[in-house]
Amino acid sequence: MFILTTISDLIQISPEDFSKYSSIAIEDNINEKYANKVIQKIGLCIGFYDLLESSDGLIGHGNGLVNVNVKFRLIVFRPFRGEIVLGKISSATEHGIKIGVEFFNDILVPPDLLLDGARFDYQDQVWIWENEEGTFYFDVGEVVRFRVEMEDWHDQIPNAPDLGDGPATDRKPPYSIIGSMQMAGLGPTSWW
């Protein structure tokens, strides 16, 4: 679910951070730049792990910023395909079940990847699975197990100014996960 990834970058340290030890100032600036951000084809950055290399700082002309070339590792959330993950149902629509973990909410289980016999109840806005043993509900807030089937990446481009003359564009999240609940043991943990 979590991986370490190595990144090389130029970090700028502002004069306000000169009172800190250089390693602390570098770590703070890396976390500010990367924590809780998605890097395309890598995953959701959780935070700084360790510093591998750093160059001597060079003061920039006119702004007083110290530029440091660094090589470091980040903790990244990126579950592998086939991994079984625990999450909570955050919402349900006819398009599937939205699931969230503590820090990531862009997980979808579409209808074709639910257990056979699952159907959406429009009145209660909930997915139901019926079988010979009874009727089971995928209730909002329920803890579920799901299997990671696919990752969906969308490069984020800047929005054009809203001139009010056209339809608003629906932005897709930069990183989302498609999951499944088709095997025994998957779905709400209270069932199993």
Side-chain angles (χ1 to χ4, degrees):
M1 180 179 320
F2 296 101
I3 60 171
L4 287 177
T5 189
T6 303
I7 295 179
S8 295
D9 198 0
L10 175 73
I11 298 297
Q12 295 184 318
I13 301 171
S14 63
E16 297 86 46
D17 291 337
F18 289 172
S19 61
K20 299 177 184 176
Y21 288 112
S22 59
S23 60
I24 301 295
I26 290 170
E27 179 180 343
D28 289 349
N29 281 284
I30 289 171
N31 273 327
E32 184 178 329
K33 186 173 184 177
Y34 287 97
N36 203 27
K37 306 270 188 335
V38 172
I39 300 176
Q40 287 292 310
K41 306 295 183 190
I42 294 178
L44 173 67
C45 296
I46 303 299
F48 176 82
Y49 182 72
D50 65 355
L51 184 63
L52 302 175
E53 297 174 12
S54 66
S55 69
D56 291 336
L58 299 173
I59 298 175
H61 179 67
N63 58 14
L65 296 174
V66 173
N67 299 304
V68 181
N69 287 309
V70 293
K71 186 175 181 182
F72 56 93
R73 291 190 295 181
L74 290 172
I75 301 169
V76 176
F77 171 73
R78 186 177 183 184
F80 59 87
R81 191 173 182 181
E83 183 172 358
I84 306 296
V85 180
L86 280 173
K88 272 189 183 174
I89 297 176
S90 57
S91 66
T93 66
E94 65 273 4
H95 302 296
I97 297 174
K98 283 276 281 188
I99 300 173
V101 295
E102 281 186 49
F103 50 85
F104 187 76
N105 293 318
D106 293 317
I107 303 166
L108 177 71
V109 178
D112 58 327
L113 294 177
L114 288 170
L115 292 161
D116 289 337
R119 65 175 175 80
F120 186 67
D121 184 344
Y122 286 91
Q123 183 177 350
D124 294 331
Q125 294 292 299
V126 67
W127 279 89
I128 299 171
W129 178 47
E130 295 174 342
N131 64 15
E132 61 277 351
E133 295 180 26
T135 303
F136 300 93
Y137 294 86
F138 292 89
D139 291 321
V140 172
E142 187 98 34
V143 176
V144 294
R145 277 189 196 92
F146 66 94
R147 181 175 180 215
V148 175
E149 296 296 336
M150 193 173 96
E151 297 172 309
D152 202 9
W153 300 94
H154 295 282
D155 195 11
Q156 300 295 292
I157 57 173
N159 283 343
D162 184 18
L163 303 175
D165 58 351
T169 57
D170 187 26
R171 288 185 67 94
K172 294 183 178 181
Y175 175 54
S176 58
I177 294 171
I178 306 297
S180 71
M181 292 188 217
Q182 290 180 312
M183 301 180 341
L186 299 182
T189 55
S190 61
W191 294 1
W192 310 101

